[in-house]
């Protein structure tokens, strides 16, 4: 995950947020879940620096979109009870896959927080689209 | 819990994982919940180092398989609200019992994470079988 | 602290890093110490996501450059014993002051990590210069 | 960092510990600082599960042996004040370098804890030698 690509993904997420009328934070992490870039829109809530990197980390750690993880951690879901101080298990985190010769691996993730969950997901997907068409 | 036995349990869990086609992490802890051994299969997710030791710890702390703990921490369950940054309360953690002359005590635990919950449980049970037939 | 200005400060810090031949992470936080922007140069160490925001936070929390704080937290210094999991007390963090009609206040901070301390300080100062000449 | 190689490094560290008459824990982490393998010798202290992975993580995060980091974080050192809940800054952690076509990168680390610092360093070096001659 290089910085230049992380910034292009971030830009796409922020454009989507503008279209949605949402104020969000956008985090991009590498395959180890470590932050590569983060941007919080002027006026976006201070939860963003916790939740956006948390969603990005969670999507890497579990190799699935946090929106898909949400029902699994809900009461009755098979991962109910999932805990950990970096986990954020509702929509807005998307893993980024690549094949560098050893099969498909998760090599990073994007996390968006600050709007409604639907808005966060739309922004994260806009960023992930940049990744998939890089 | 000695290292040699922990490694034999780990080996059994990893063989089961290979049979299941799962990529898992396997943790074995002592009676204090402290790590004795840990192995993450090549390609297994980075959640493993958090969740496998967490399941092993939780199974020791509550003296029951984390699969049995799951319904207790669900809404309506008598442990609903259980929290703590090391707790992982879904299947894959199994306590290890022994009687060293003072009655049966939990003297360790095994935790597996990375597959489906059913796969994790099967791997943890394979490890626990090594313990029970030691 | 708005995002646009944070990004301009970040750009100045990264340009300075390029001149220094250093690979750094740059964090900008608001007056509450919360992240506004973060960028880790491609190839920069994974300590950056911890240390750069930590330096920025610390400079806001204590209203002084972390380079000035270093001797105060050393043995014999009046803040010896300062602790806290977000504190980073060596050079590379600089507070950002502004007077919005109520006297000078710290309204943000910048933190840089990844090079030598001297390089980190030079990069943070380059960012702070953008702030002071905004 | 694959598991097979991590286990070979661990074996070398444990053999060195036996030669030293020390009881140690040995951790191997990947390039993101996440645990790949861990083994605590029977009878080794319970600090091992905290300190050995901490040393391995720290050596990755700062790209230097923790023995080299020790003087830098001491009073008067330029990194005095370094903090973070995973940092362990005395000898026993060694970073592992590789060039996969993009120049030398730190792709993992080994950490040993339980003996004297000199013993821990000797064990970690024995593991690192396996890496360098892989």
């Amino acid at each position: 995950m290089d910085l230049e690509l992380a910034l292009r993904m971030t830009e796409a997420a922020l454009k989507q947020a503008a279209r949605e009328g949402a104020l969000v934070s956008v985090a991009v992490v590498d395959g180890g879940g470590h932050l590569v870039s983060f941007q919080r829109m002027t006026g976006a809530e201070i939860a963003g620096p916790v939740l956006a990197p948390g969603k990005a980390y969670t999507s890497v750690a579990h190799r699935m979109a946090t929106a898909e993880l949400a029902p699994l951690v809900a009461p009755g879901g098979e991962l109910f009870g999932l805990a950990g101080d970096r986990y954020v298990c509702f929509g807005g985190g998307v893993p980024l896959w690549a094949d560098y010769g050893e099969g498909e691996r998760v090599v990073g993730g994007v996390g968006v927080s600050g709007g409604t969950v639907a808005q966060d997901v739309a922004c994260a997907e806009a960023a992930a689209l940049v990744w998939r068409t890089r």
Side-chain angles (χ1 to χ4, degrees), chain A:
Chain A
M1 178 60 53
D2 66 34
L3 176 57
E4 186 272 336
L5 187 52
L7 292 175
R8 282 204 287 135
M9 286 191 282
T10 302
E11 188 184 356
L14 294 181
K15 276 186 182 162
Q16 184 63 33
R19 276 191 291 269
E20 305 266 351
L23 292 175
V24 302
S25 292
V26 181
V28 179
V29 302
D30 64 21
H34 301 295
L35 207 56
V36 174
S37 79
F38 176 84
Q39 291 186 28
R40 176 158 54 110
M41 292 171 76
T42 303
E45 63 192 20
I46 63 168
V50 175
L51 297 183
K55 289 179 183 180
Y57 166 80
T58 303
S59 72
V60 169
H62 286 269
R63 296 179 179 168
M64 65 173 72
T66 56
E68 294 171 55
L69 198 53
L72 300 179
V73 301
E78 78 170 11
L79 301 183
F80 180 71
L82 181 67
D85 62 0
R86 296 181 68 189
Y87 282 119
V88 180
C89 300
F90 48 92
V94 176
L96 306 170
W97 296 80
D99 185 344
Y100 295 131
E102 298 176 314
E104 286 282 311
R105 296 275 172 89
V106 169
V107 297
V110 59
V112 178
S113 182
T116 64
V117 169
Q119 289 171 330
D120 292 349
V121 169
C123 295
E125 283 298 336
L129 182 62
V130 170
W131 173 261
R132 289 191 291 264
T133 56
R134 70 192 182 283

